[in-house]
Structure formats: structure tokens, C-alpha cells
């Protein structure tokens, strides 16, 4: 039974960890480079955690999540907690080095696979389990972080990933049903709950985002069994099961019958319908995720407060929260002085979301008069956004309406013959995905341009010099299809957003993508227009330096959409088609400049796939339509490539074929070419470039290793359709690693020809 004296009113489901100025990223990379030791790294981490907890406490939240900090990834942390790291890293004596070896590999050890965290742009590391895996509890991290928070006077709520989600996200090495391992995990969770209670935790948050996906009756029964067992423990904290990224649906009444004290629902995804339908939450704290943790728009109090009151009227005890962890939000609007003031007034980053949560909680529990002035400021911003003319461009909307049904060119076999004649490439052509290392010189030039110490002409000259060096290096290595290396691009989405009307870029809006990789998602606030060509001069310059084909490199409409903070006032499909028309215009201009191969990357195609099967067909239809529209303006002799990475592709194989790209490069290194079987099963008969080595690890693959990968690929793909490439762009790697790896790649391809 819910204890009225053990509830709270305002919280978030998780906190960012990279630091307001990416301090953790820099410290970890310094540790990897040997510039600081483990003690130095731990000191930086402890300082960031303490500062964050105190900021949130002082902002007025009365329950604060702890344990969401990570040096790399929360799922990897859970594997450590449960003693489930792969055997290949167990021999590494140092605890921190063992952890990072599992995350990113080293010269001797391959890392865990990486894939997308539900439908976000965060990547998690996939645990490897089997029927033989022996679990054991290692609770030092959650206990230490709880102790740390309580010492600061923080009302701490430890957070752990739940057993259902951990097992459903893991990879079965032997094909066994991993949910059958739940009886082996539950005693560890029972032990952990007891230890956390002894250490002073009044609540524990158990994250179960997998419960917002389609679950079978058998799986729902497993959920009930697990949480009823945990709820029946005599000495434990109150349990909050947190869901996010979707509606709980049938899982909510199942949880409500277990005896747990709290359930977090994602109201940004419509989860209040779950609560109303459940009708059994009078003894449960409903943590209402009304403030969207995955987007940046200011809350409309006149929409939010009635929904919160509706939950309370249904009999629930209500706490106001973010819809998900603030891991996905920038820290604060405070540094964003370059944003246009009008646009800035529409936004809420992490700090502002926390303030919104406190505002709504006060209005809900104390009445609107207590915060009338703040509520009116929010209402004014919402009204102003709705009336802005940049959100309603009649020309763009007419163009989108007239583009319906556009498809691309002749059948694939006819295009293949024309392109073979034009390009005259060898069997097993070699190439890269696009970017080359962003060197110190490139970053310095970008910083100097930003500070105004060099002008645009000097910056452009330095970029041309970098391009010339990259083209010369590729020719010397012997690659068949070259790239310009993208030195001028800060990010594969932000670069385009900065040149398209309807977007705004941030100064310090960093969020974690994986490990130490951070991105600054642009803000897509209005209708999208391409005022001028964005990439043509760079690609044309690179092509002028060589007789080999140079790929024009573009980011696709779905990925630009997925990796931006997107407008929420119209259907995603409409926004995607607006972006597609801008990319289409760019492909036409590239072709006119003599570029024979154009790559339109869609690494986020799987990422936006709705979590419920009932919603997936409609999404895939408009996503494929947007890509095909973006590539429909060029001749059959121009070869269209696309790139997909780090996702579970089996569910979207039909859509990958539907893109109708002449060549699709795809992540396959960490998964040992398994995706090719899915492609074959779907009758895929276009060109394919399965990544033959993992660029996210510093390892340099031997020629023989790449030959082995290619041998596996050739069992699934005829040599006439097989391309040879790394599994992703090379931006984050060092030049020496890249050069050695590509030499081995070229040698492997030549050996197999």
C-alpha cells in the first residue's frame, strides 16, 4: 500500500552525465590517452555528479535519480552490476580497463555490439548472454553513488535497469530464450533492493522501457511474476517502475496488480490513456511524464495541467516528471546567447525542463495562483510560436503537395548496366563511408573561424588543403571510389541544418550519442527551404583533383529529421518531405557539377521506427517515400548510395530494398555479417557494402581478418554486387589507424579478386 508520507511531487527520470561543457568526455579521452590516471578520472566524475545533484536539488525537485551516471553506457553498467561481461574481457585485471575493453575493444579484444536505444539517437552496448551465463551481483557503483548523494543532502532515488529490459535487450549467443533466465536474475535484484534499503534509499527506480513495446501474453505474465515477487520483499525501498518512449498499454494494469508503489508513464507519448483505462491505481504513485525529455519545446500549461488534473481525478496520486531521462536534452539554455531571442523563448533545455516540472507540480498541488506570473509567461511563448510566419511557408507546402508519388528512375538492373559502363570499376570496389579524421588542424581552423581570428577565405583555403591531402592519400592507398573527407563539416546533420531555412543551431547543446561521442542536434522549428547549394563546391573541387570517381556526400531526410529536435505541430511525414525536396535539389546540382556517385546517408532509418508494430507500416511508407523523393531527380547513369548503421535491421529489410539505392553500405562488422542473411531472405538484389571492420574501436584489422569477413559476405552476396568498405565514417579515428586499416582493406579486396 502506498504510504502518503513516502511520496514525492516533482522529479525527473534521469540526468545527463557528460558535463555542461563535455568535461567527462575530455576526461575519459585523456584517460585513454594516458594523460590522466584512474584517480584523476574518478575525481572529475565525482565533481560532475555532485554539482549536478546540487543543481537539481536547489531547483526544487523532491526526489532525484542517482546511479544514471556512466563512463560509457547504462546497459554496460548493468552488465557489470549483474556479472554479465563477456568472457573475452574477464582476464583484464584492471576494472576500468576491463570496462572500456567491453565498450570499445582494444588490440586483442573485440567490443560488444552497439545498437540504438529504442527509437532515439543514443546507442547502447548489447550484452551477450546464453544459457551458460552465470550471474553475480556487483553493487559497488549504485551503493557508492547513493552514499555520495545522501551525504550531500539530496533526496536520492537509485535507478537501475530492470531485469525484463536487460534480458530483452541482450543478444542470445546460443539461440536460447533469455527471458527464461529471469529466475536467475531476480535473486540478485532482491539482494540489491535490500542493500539499497539498508543504505538509506526510500525509493528505487527500476527502468523497464521494454514494456512499451509489443508484449505477448506470456511476456506479460513474466512481468507480473517478476514484480509481484519483488513487491513481496519485506525489507526494501518503495519501487517505481519507469517506462518511457511510448505507452505501456496492456503492461500497465499488469504492473498495477503486482503491489509496487509507483509507475512512471510517458504522457508525451499519450500514456495518460493507459492510466485512465487501468482504473486500478488508487494505491499507486503515478509519475506523470508530462514534460517531454526528448524534445526542446516549452510546455503549454493549458494543455498539461488539465491532463494532470485528469489523472488525479481518476484517483491517482500524481508526481510531475520528465517523460524520460534528461540524458537526451542539453543541459541549459543559458549559454545559447546566439539563438534568436524569439526562438529562444519557445525552448526548454534540461535546466528549464526541471523548472517547468516544479512549476506544474506547484500549480497542480497548490493552485495556479501560486505561480500565475510564470504560467502567463509560458502561455505567451506558446502563442507566439504558433503565430510565427516561418512555420507556414506557402511555397514549400505547395511543392510538397505536388511531389506526391515521385519515384526514382529505371529498374535497378537497367541502371546497373548504365552505371557499370560509366564508372568502369573493378570487382569488389573499395571505398569509405565518407568522413576522414577530423584532425587537430581542422578543429583549430573551425575554432579560429568561430572566434573571428581568421576569415572565411582563409578557412576555405585550409579546407581545400585538407581535401587535397585526403584525396592524395586515398589514391596512394589504392581505393577505387574516393571521398572528399568532409573536413568542412562539424556534424553530418548540423552542417546541413546551418544552411537550410527552418533550422537553428545551438552553441552548447551537446547530448551523448554513445561513449564520448557527443552531438549538437539542431532545432527544426519551421518550414524547410534550401536557399543555395550546400556541398557542391567541395565535392567538385575534390573531383577536379583525380580521375577516379568522388562521391558526393549528403545526409538523408529521415536522418536529418531523427537527429534534430523536431517541430511537434505537424506530422513527421510532412516535415520529412520538406527536407527531402531540399536534398533533391542538392543531388541535381551535384550531378550537374559532374559527380557520378551520390551517397545519401540514412543511418537513422531504423531509429525512428515506432516501437509498436501497428504503427510501423505507416512510418516506413513515408520514410521510404521521403528518401526516394530526395534521390529522384538524377539520371539513371548517376549511382545512388546510402548508408545504414548500428541498428537491428531485420524488421526493416523490406524498407531497405524499397529505398531502391544502387548501393547500400551497412554495419555488419560487430554482428559478423549476420544482416546479410536477412537481406537475402528478403530477395535483396541491389549493391551492398557490408562493413568489413569496426571503426568504433582503435583496433587495426589485419588483412586476413578482413578477408575472412569478405569471405563470409561472398557466401551471401555475389561478387558483382559486393562493395568493400568500413562500417561507418572515419571522423572519430586517428589518421595513422585509418591509413593502416584502409591499406589492409585494399589488400584484402585485391587478394580476393
Amino acid at each position: 500500500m502506498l504510504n502518503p508520507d513516502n511520496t514525492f511531487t516533482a522529479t525527473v527520470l534521469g540526468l545527463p552525465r557528460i558535463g555542461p561543457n563535455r568535461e567527462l568526455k575530455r576526461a575519459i579521452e585523456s584517460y585513454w590517452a594516458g594523460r590522466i590516471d584512474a584517480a584523476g578520472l574518478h575525481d572529475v566524475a565525482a565533481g560532475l555528479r555532485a554539482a549536478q545533484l546540487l543543481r537539481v536539488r536547489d531547483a526544487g525537485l523532491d526526489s532525484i535519480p542517482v546511479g544514471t551516471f556512466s563512463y560509457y553506457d547504462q546497459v554496460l553498467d548493468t552488465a557489470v552490476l549483474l556479472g554479465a561481461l563477456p568472457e573475452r574481457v574477464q582476464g583484464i585485471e584492471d576494472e576500468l580497463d576491463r570496462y572500456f575493453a567491453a565498450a570499445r575493444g582494444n588490440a586483442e579484444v573485440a567490443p560488444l555490439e552497439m545498437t540504438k536505444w529504442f527509437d532515439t539517437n543514443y546507442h547502447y552496448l548489447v550484452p551477450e548472454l546464453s544459457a551458460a551465463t552465470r550471474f553475480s551481483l556487483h553493487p559497488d557503483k549504485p551503493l557508492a553513488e547513493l552514499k555520495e548523494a545522501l551525504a550531500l543532502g539530496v533526496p536520492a532515488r537509485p535507478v537501475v535497469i530492470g531485469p525484463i529490459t536487460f534480458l530483452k535487450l541482450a543478444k542470445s549467443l546460443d539461440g536460447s530464450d533469455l527471458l527464461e533466465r529471469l529466475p536467475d536474475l531476480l535473486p540478485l535484484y532482491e539482494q540489491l533492493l535490500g542493500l539499497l534499503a539498508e543504505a538509506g534509499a526510500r525509493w528505487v527506480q527500476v527502468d523497464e522501457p521494454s514494456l512499451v513495446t509489443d508484449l505477448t501474453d506470456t511476456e506479460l505474465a513474466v512481468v507480473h511474476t517478476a514484480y509481484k515477487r519483488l513487491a513481496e520483499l519485506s525489507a526494501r525501498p518503495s519501487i517505481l517502475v519507469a517506462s518511457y518512449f511510448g505507452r505501456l498499454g496492456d503492461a500497465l494494469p499488469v504492473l498495477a496488480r503486482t503491489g509496487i508503489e509507483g509507475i512512471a508513464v510517458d504522457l508525451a507519448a499519450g500514456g495518460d490513456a493507459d492510466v485512465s483505462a487501468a482504473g486500478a491505481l488508487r494505491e499507486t504513485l503515478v509519475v506523470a511524464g508530462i514534460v517531454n525529455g526528448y524534445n526542446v519545446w516549452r510546455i503549454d500549461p493549458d494543455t498539461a495541467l488539465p491532463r494532470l488534473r485528469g489523472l488525479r481525478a481518476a484517483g491517482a496520486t500524481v508526481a510531475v516528471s520528465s517523460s524520460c531521462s534528461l540524458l537526451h536534452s542539453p543541459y541549459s539554455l543559458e549559454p545559447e546567447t546566439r539563438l534568436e531571442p524569439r526562438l529562444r523563448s519557445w525552448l526548454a533545455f534540461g535546466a528549464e525542463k526541471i523548472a517547468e516540472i516544479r512549476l506544474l507540480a506547484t500549480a497542480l498541488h497548490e493552485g495556479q495562483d501560486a505561480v500565475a506570473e510564470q504560467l502567463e509567461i509560458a502561455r505567451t511563448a506558446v502563442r507566439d510560436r504558433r503565430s510565427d510566419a516561418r512555420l507556414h511557408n506557402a511555397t514549400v507546402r505547395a511543392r510538397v503537395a505536388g511531389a506526391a508519388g515521385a519515384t526514382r528512375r529505371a529498374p535497378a538492373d537497367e541502371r546497373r548496366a548504365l552505371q557499370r559502363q560509366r564508372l568502369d570499376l573493378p570487382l569488389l570496389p573499395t571505398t569509405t563511408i565518407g568522413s576522414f579524421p577530423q584532425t587537430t588542424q581542422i578543429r583549430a581552423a573551425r575554432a579560429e573561424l568561430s572566434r573571428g581570428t581568421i576569415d572565411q577565405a582563409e578557412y576555405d583555403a585550409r579546407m581545400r588543403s585538407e581535401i587535397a591531402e585526403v584525396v592524395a592519400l586515398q589514391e596512394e592507398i589504392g581505393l577505387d571510389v574516393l571521398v572528399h573527407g568532409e573536413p568542412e563539416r562539424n556534424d553530418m546533420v548540423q552542417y546541413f541544418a546551418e544552411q537550410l531555412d527552418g533550422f537553428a543551431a545551438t552553441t552548447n547543446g551537446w547530448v551523448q550519442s554513445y561513449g564520448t561521442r557527443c552531438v549538437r542536434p539542431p532545432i527544426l522549428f519551421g518550414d524547410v527551404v534550401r536557399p543555395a547549394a550546400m556541398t557542391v563546391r567541395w565535392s567538385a573541387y575534390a573531383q577536379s583533383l583525380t580521375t577516379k570517381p568522388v562521391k558526393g556526400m549528403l545526409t538523408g531526410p529521415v536522418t536529418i529529421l531523427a537527429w534534430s529536435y523536431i517541430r511537434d505541430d505537424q506530422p513527421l511525414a510532412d516535415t520529412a518531405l520538406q527536407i527531402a525536396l531540399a536534398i533533391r535539389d542538392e543531388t541535381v546540382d551535384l550531378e550537374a557539377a559532374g559527380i557520378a556517385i551520390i551517397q545519401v546517408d540514412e543511418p537513422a532509418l531504423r531509429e525512428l521506427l515506432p516501437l509498436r508494430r501497428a504503427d510501423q507500416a505507416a512510418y516506413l511508407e513515408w520514410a521510404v517515400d521521403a528518401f526516394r523523393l530526395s534521390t529522384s531527380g538524377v539520371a539513371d547513369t548517376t549511382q545512388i548510395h546510402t548508408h545504414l548503421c548500428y541498428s537491428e535491421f531485420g524488421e526493416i529489410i523490406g524498407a531497405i530494398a524499397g529505398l531502391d539505392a544502387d548501393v547500400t553500405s551497412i554495419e555488419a562488422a560487430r554482428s559478423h555479417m549476420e544482416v546479410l542473411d536477412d537481406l537475402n531472405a528478403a530477395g535483396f538484389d541491389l549493391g551492398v557494402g557490408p562493413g568489413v571492420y569496426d571503426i568504433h574501436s582503435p583496433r587495426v584489422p589485419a588483412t586476413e581478418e578482413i578477408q575472412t569477413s569478405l569471405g563470409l559476405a561472398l557466401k551471401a552476396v555475389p561478387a558483382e554486387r559486393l562493395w568493400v568498405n568500413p562500417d561507418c565514417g572515419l571522423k572519430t579515428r586517428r589518421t595513422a589507424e585509418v591509413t593502416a586499416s584502409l591499406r589492409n582493406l585494399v589488400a584484402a579486396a585485391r587478394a580476393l579478386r
Side-chain angles (χ1 to χ4, degrees):
M1 179 177 292
L2 184 64
N3 178 357
D5 297 325
N6 187 29
T7 61
F8 49 89
T9 64
T11 190
V12 292
L13 294 189
L15 295 167
R17 57 243 188 168
I18 59 174
N21 296 295
R22 295 180 293 158
E23 294 90 342
L24 184 63
K25 165 191 170 66
R26 295 187 177 94
I28 292 172
E29 291 176 351
S30 292
Y31 174 76
W32 291 342
R35 294 191 294 270
I36 64 172
D37 60 11
L41 175 58
H42 292 323
D43 285 346
V44 171
L48 289 172
R49 288 194 300 269
Q52 174 86 306
L53 291 173
L54 292 174
R55 278 194 296 268
V56 177
R57 182 200 67 185
D58 294 345
L61 300 192
D62 52 2
S63 181
I64 297 174
V66 300
T68 59
F69 173 85
S70 178
Y71 282 123
Y72 206 96
D73 168 56
Q74 65 268 19
V75 182
L76 176 59
D77 293 349
T78 310
V80 173
L81 173 71
L82 301 174
L85 288 179
E87 185 177 346
R88 61 182 176 276
V89 305
Q90 296 292 358
I92 299 174
E93 184 173 345
D94 181 85
E95 179 180 345
L96 198 53
D97 290 346
R98 181 167 63 248
Y99 177 89
F100 285 130
R104 61 196 292 266
N106 59 31
E108 292 80 33
V109 171
L112 292 167
E113 292 181 31
M114 186 188 297
T115 194
K116 296 296 174 71
W117 176 246
F118 296 89
D119 55 353
T120 76
N121 186 32
Y122 178 80
H123 305 60
Y124 78 92
L125 290 157
V126 183
E128 297 174 355
L129 306 178
S130 71
T133 302
R134 294 292 172 260
F135 298 113
S136 57
L137 186 66
H138 303 268
D140 291 352
K141 178 181 182 295
L143 290 172
E145 292 183 21
L146 173 60
K147 179 180 179 181
E148 180 181 71
L150 293 176
L152 293 169
V154 169
R157 185 180 74 248
V159 179
V160 295
I161 291 178
I164 308 294
T165 292
F166 180 73
L167 292 173
K168 285 183 72 67
L169 294 183
K171 178 178 182 178
S172 177
L173 296 178
D174 57 2
S176 59
D177 182 354
L178 294 180
L179 276 181
E180 293 181 358
R181 300 300 313 276
L182 186 62
D184 300 319
L185 277 187
L186 286 178
L188 304 188
Y189 278 84
E190 291 173 333
Q191 184 182 351
L192 178 63
L193 289 174
L195 291 171
L196 291 171
E198 289 175 13
R202 299 180 68 187
W203 281 87
V204 168
Q205 177 179 318
V206 185
D207 281 2
E208 289 285 15
S210 286
L211 301 189
V212 306
T213 63
D214 293 314
L215 299 177
T216 65
D217 290 343
T218 299
E219 289 171 328
L220 289 169
V222 168
V223 171
H224 182 267
T225 298
Y227 281 96
K228 189 172 187 299
R229 175 171 167 178
L230 294 179
E232 289 173 349
L233 287 173
S234 58
R236 62 167 177 82
S238 296
I239 297 174
L240 168 67
V241 174
S243 66
Y244 36 87
F245 305 141
R247 291 183 53 188
L248 274 168
D250 292 340
L252 190 138
V254 169
L255 287 172
R257 293 194 300 269
T258 62
I260 61 172
E261 288 79 10
I263 301 174
V265 294
D266 185 345
L267 299 195
D272 41 355
D274 290 339
V275 179
S276 300
L281 295 173
R282 294 183 183 276
E283 300 298 333
T284 306
L285 176 67
V286 175
V287 176
I290 192 73
V291 174
N292 193 334
Y294 197 64
N295 213 331
V296 293
W297 304 109
R298 195 166 194 157
I299 196 76
D300 179 357
D302 292 332
T303 300
L305 284 170
R307 296 174 72 188
L308 294 171
R309 292 192 201 102
L311 297 181
R312 196 167 61 176
T317 301
V318 178
V320 182
S321 176
S322 59
S323 64
C324 62
S325 171
L326 297 187
L327 168 72
H328 309 287
S329 296
Y331 273 77
S332 172
L333 270 172
E334 185 178 352
E336 303 304 328
T337 56
R338 295 184 183 180
L339 279 178
E340 179 211 8
R342 187 177 188 186
L343 171 61
R344 193 175 188 270
S345 74
W346 305 342
L347 303 175
F349 287 2
E352 293 74 32
K353 290 180 186 299
I354 291 170
E356 287 186 318
I357 290 165
R358 185 66 267 169
L359 172 67
L360 293 173
T362 302
L364 179 67
H365 296 291
E366 300 177 24
Q368 294 193 50
D369 289 346
V371 284
E373 183 178 350
Q374 294 124 292
L375 290 173
E376 186 54 35
I377 291 171
R379 292 184 181 111
T380 299
V382 170
R383 287 194 298 265
D384 181 62
R385 180 184 168 209
R386 288 173 181 158
S387 66
D388 194 298
R390 292 170 295 179
L391 278 64
H392 308 283
N393 184 310
T395 302
V396 172
R397 290 171 180 264
R399 235 190 127 192
V400 167
T407 56
R408 193 172 103 73
R409 307 180 292 163
D413 55 350
E414 294 180 23
R415 301 197 310 263
R416 188 180 298 123
L418 293 170
Q419 293 161 12
R420 186 179 296 122
Q421 183 177 5
R422 179 183 184 184
L423 296 170
D424 192 28
L425 295 172
L427 204 63
L428 305 179
T430 56
T431 189
T432 65
I433 299 304
S435 61
F436 264 65
Q438 291 268 313
T439 64
T440 301
Q441 293 82 0
I442 292 172
R443 291 194 294 270
R446 189 170 296 127
E448 290 175 46
L449 178 66
S450 178
R451 291 194 301 267
T453 54
I454 63 172
D455 60 15
Q456 188 67 47
E458 172 62 20
Y459 176 78
D460 290 352
R462 293 191 193 182
M463 295 304 102
R464 285 194 296 272
S465 176
E466 292 284 346
I467 290 169
E469 288 184 16
V470 165
V471 169
L473 175 62
Q474 292 172 91
E475 287 204 310
E476 190 270 325
I477 289 172
L479 290 165
D480 301 305
V481 173
L482 312 187
V483 296
H484 80 283
E486 306 175 20
E488 79 288 358
R489 302 187 189 184
N490 42 22
D491 176 83
M492 67 181 293
V493 170
Q494 183 181 337
Y495 175 78
F496 292 96
E498 289 175 341
Q499 301 181 77
L500 293 169
D501 292 347
F503 283 87
T506 67
T507 299
N508 201 52
W510 297 101
V511 294
Q512 184 182 22
S513 178
Y514 65 86
T516 61
R517 168 69 170 155
C518 301
V519 295
R520 276 185 296 159
I523 299 165
L524 202 176
F525 68 89
D527 285 348
V528 178
V529 177
R530 186 195 76 140
M534 301 177 285
T535 67
V536 175
R537 60 176 174 142
W538 303 114
S539 294
Y541 174 67
Q543 186 62 80
S544 74
L545 302 175
T546 180
T547 58
K548 291 184 174 182
V550 174
K551 289 192 286 189
M553 301 299 306
L554 305 174
T555 303
V558 175
T559 297
I560 291 178
L561 190 70
W563 293 358
S564 300
Y565 291 117
I566 51 177
R567 58 190 298 184
D568 57 359
D569 60 330
Q570 67 179 18
L572 289 181
D574 294 353
T575 308
L577 291 175
Q578 290 183 4
I579 303 170
L581 285 171
I583 300 302
R584 185 184 191 277
D585 292 344
E586 191 73 11
T587 64
V588 170
D589 286 349
L590 282 167
E591 182 182 63
I595 303 301
I597 302 177
I598 301 172
Q599 183 168 309
V600 181
D601 288 341
E602 285 290 21
L605 180 66
R606 167 62 180 81
E607 179 178 308
L608 277 187
L609 186 72
L611 300 178
R612 298 279 187 176
R613 281 187 292 273
D615 303 321
Q616 292 174 358
Y619 158 72
L620 291 173
E621 181 177 1
W622 66 251
V624 169
D625 284 349
F627 180 88
R628 291 177 68 121
L629 176 60
S630 71
T631 57
S632 63
V634 298
D636 296 336
T637 53
T638 297
Q639 190 172 78
I640 294 293
H641 288 221
T642 191
H643 172 63
L644 311 171
C645 66
Y646 289 114
S647 287
E648 298 298 329
F649 294 115
E651 298 163 301
I652 61 164
I653 291 299
I656 294 173
L659 298 177
D660 198 32
D662 298 303
V663 178
T664 299
S665 58
I666 197 164
E667 185 280 319
R670 289 197 184 189
S671 58
H672 310 294
M673 301 292 162
E674 291 172 0
V675 68
L676 296 181
D677 293 331
D678 292 330
L679 287 171
N680 278 342
F684 189 83
D685 62 354
L686 298 157
V688 63
V692 294
Y693 78 90
D694 173 25
I695 69 92
H696 295 84
S697 169
R699 296 178 65 248
V700 174
T703 300
E704 295 75 18
E705 180 182 333
I706 296 175
Q707 281 184 251
T708 298
S709 293
L710 284 173
L712 292 172
L714 284 165
K715 292 179 180 179
V717 179
E720 292 76 17
R721 291 196 287 110
L722 186 66
W723 284 64
V724 183
N725 47 259
D727 68 353
C728 207
L730 305 171
K731 176 180 179 179
T732 61
R733 298 267 56 89
R734 296 180 178 178
T735 301
E737 296 168 8
V738 165
T739 302
S741 298
L742 292 180
R743 289 192 195 284
N744 292 348
L745 180 149
V746 169
R750 288 175 174 171
L752 286 172
R753 282 173 188 163

